[in-house]
């Protein structure tokens, strides 16, 4: 899956006693109701965030993970996490469909009927 948005927050890498490392970032989606989405980068993927800055537009390849946890009281809870595995910077112009439209409309449009000289009409209707 992919998410696209603006980098809202970059957090520092965290290293745990087991040697496990993770780094998180929050992107703000670009939709009618923008959503701040927290994405984790684990182990060797944390370096993908090194060249990013807050405010940049990015496209992030993600996996959604689910976990089940049983409390000491026997209650089962479910948790989800979003794990990033790829980050691609997106230029401002590439994400705007209006830019692509203006390039298409630059080609001249002909008002000639392409079938005007076709007297040999072999259609059955």
């Amino acid at each position: 899956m992919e998410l696209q948005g603006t980098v809202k927050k970059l957090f520092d890498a965290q290293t745990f006693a087991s040697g496990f490392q993770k780094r998180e970032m929050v992107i703000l989606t670009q939709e009618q109701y923008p959503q701040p989405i927290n994405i984790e980068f684990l182990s060797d993927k944390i370096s993908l965030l090194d060249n990013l800055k807050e405010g940049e537009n990015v496209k992030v390849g993600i996996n959604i993970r689910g976990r089940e946890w049983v409390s000491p009281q026997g209650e089962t809870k479910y948790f989800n996490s979003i794990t990033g595995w790829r980050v691609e910077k997106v230029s401002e112009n590439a994400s705007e469909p209006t830019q692509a439209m203006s390039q298409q409309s630059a080609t001249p449009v002909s008002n000639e009927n392409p079938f005007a000289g076709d007297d040999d009409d072999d259609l059955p209707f």
Side-chain angles (χ1 to χ4, degrees):
M1 297 179 73
E2 287 184 343
L3 285 176
Q4 187 167 333
T6 304
V7 178
K8 181 176 175 129
K9 182 81 175 150
L10 288 166
F11 294 95
D12 292 331
Q14 298 174 304
T15 302
F16 299 90
S18 64
F20 173 76
Q21 292 182 322
K22 80 173 184 176
R23 187 172 179 193
E24 297 175 321
M25 82 171 195
V26 176
I27 66 169
L28 191 61
T29 61
Q30 300 163 343
E31 51 194 335
Q32 183 178 358
Y33 301 105
Q35 301 292 312
I37 306 289
N38 186 58
I39 304 171
E40 299 177 325
F41 289 80
L42 309 176
S43 302
D44 61 334
K45 300 297 183 189
I46 64 173
S47 63
L48 295 174
L49 303 180
D50 290 345
N51 297 321
L52 293 181
K53 292 181 228 149
E54 292 178 7
E56 289 184 307
N57 289 325
V58 292
K59 186 186 298 184
V60 183
I62 62 164
N63 291 324
I64 298 176
R65 308 273 182 198
R67 288 185 307 283
E68 181 179 281
W69 178 73
V70 180
S71 72
Q73 295 78 24
E75 183 182 358
T76 303
K77 294 198 178 226
Y78 297 91
F79 297 93
N80 299 319
S81 63
I82 300 172
T83 306
W85 52 271
R86 178 176 46 98
V87 177
E88 175 184 327
K89 290 184 184 181
V90 177
S91 68
E92 295 283 333
N93 293 339
S95 62
E96 293 181 12
T98 53
Q99 180 71 19
M101 292 295 286
S102 65
Q103 290 173 352
Q104 289 174 352
S105 64
T107 36
V109 178
S110 173
N111 290 330
E112 287 183 36
N113 182 351
F115 305 107
D118 254 354
D119 291 333
D120 186 21
D121 188 5
D122 58 353
L123 295 177
F125 48 90

